[in-house]
Amino acid sequence: NKILQGMKADADVLIRGDESAILHEIKNAILLDLQREDEIEEEARKILQQHLKRIYRDDIDFAELLRKAKKQIAKERGLVFWPAIPNQGGGFVRLSEERIEFLSNQIAQTLLNKKLVGYYNRKKKLNNVIAHIMMMDLKMEDKIDEEVVKMIKSIKRDIPEGSSEWVSIFQEKKAEIAKRHNYIYWLAQPLAKI
């Protein structure tokens, strides 16, 4: 919905199709991206499962091997690899700039190919408009995260950053502040623990 609202506010974007169809295509592009990521993760884990004895025997970092395996699989499939970026609350994945570029390109291509939107400005591409909307949204989330961290640090007792208590308080306070700002979280997902 944020992407659609941002496109509607941009004078260079012409909404041609039904808004529900546009939202459907945006959602599908994002879900397809997440599905690809899950498939790559599953394939990488299957490959590493075959070598678990050696990995544990030689005390090799499983998380690092998993990251490398995912990167290789993505490269073989011609996809962009983007490592997970934890936010200040710990345990949540942030979208990297590379991933935002990739997703915005996928969304723009789909919307243009299906003639759901038109675009007037040839110097500025639609995917740049979408990427800008996504980046501005993440900047708002960063401001909320900073406010939450200040709030937690102002608590009289010392709560170790990254601890389960910190994460729990962070998530609770972030939800409160986000609601106060009428902000809906982007694609925050729990980081997989290995």
Side-chain angles (χ1 to χ4, degrees):
N1 194 19
K2 294 176 185 183
I3 294 172
L4 175 59
Q5 295 309 316
M7 288 190 307
K8 286 170 63 174
D10 190 303
D12 290 326
V13 179
L14 171 65
I15 304 297
R16 290 183 172 157
D18 178 58
E19 288 185 15
S20 63
I22 293 169
L23 288 172
H24 177 77
E25 293 302 332
I26 292 169
K27 179 181 173 184
N28 279 349
I30 292 169
L31 290 176
L32 179 61
D33 181 65
L34 293 172
Q35 182 181 358
R36 282 188 200 122
E37 183 179 2
D38 288 345
E39 290 169 359
I40 290 171
E41 171 106 12
E42 184 178 331
E43 186 176 334
R45 285 184 181 278
K46 283 181 183 177
I47 291 168
L48 295 180
Q49 290 293 328
Q50 299 169 11
H51 305 282
L52 275 182
K53 285 182 183 177
R54 192 176 121 233
I55 291 169
Y56 291 125
R57 181 189 71 223
D58 296 344
D59 196 28
I60 300 171
D61 183 353
F62 185 84
E64 180 62 19
L65 279 180
L66 181 64
R67 188 188 69 73
K68 287 179 179 179
K70 288 166 52 176
K71 184 175 184 176
Q72 182 61 37
I73 293 166
K75 183 179 177 183
E76 289 170 2
R77 292 184 182 180
L79 300 171
V80 177
F81 175 75
W82 32 77
I85 303 172
N87 75 2
Q88 293 181 13
F92 287 91
V93 173
R94 290 292 311 264
L95 297 173
S96 67
E97 285 187 36
E98 294 84 8
R99 191 164 192 179
I100 288 173
E101 285 179 33
F102 180 82
L103 277 171
S104 64
N105 189 49
Q106 296 297 308
I107 293 167
Q109 288 301 97
T110 299
L111 296 177
L112 290 169
N113 289 344
K114 294 191 175 194
K115 300 188 185 328
L116 293 170
V117 298
Y119 197 68
Y120 295 123
N121 189 339
R122 295 289 175 220
K123 292 180 182 176
K124 188 170 83 172
K125 296 184 178 179
L126 180 60
N127 59 313
N128 293 340
V129 171
I130 295 170
H132 176 74
I133 294 164
M134 294 170 80
M135 291 298 292
M136 294 307 295
D137 188 69
L138 290 175
K139 285 181 182 182
M140 177 63 175
E141 185 173 351
D142 287 342
K143 288 180 184 178
I144 292 171
D145 286 351
E146 288 171 14
E147 190 175 336
V148 172
V149 169
K150 283 181 187 175
M151 186 181 290
I152 294 172
K153 288 184 177 183
S154 72
I155 296 174
K156 299 281 184 210
R157 60 190 173 81
D158 187 33
I159 302 169
E161 191 167 340
S163 68
S164 58
E165 182 180 16
W166 171 277
V167 171
S168 177
I169 293 170
F170 184 94
Q171 291 172 349
E172 178 186 332
K173 297 300 180 189
K174 183 172 183 172
E176 289 173 16
I177 293 170
K179 186 176 182 179
R180 190 172 58 217
H181 288 285
N182 272 343
Y183 179 81
I184 299 171
Y185 291 66
W186 225 162
L187 295 171
Q189 300 177 4
L191 263 177
K193 298 287 182 198
I194 298 171

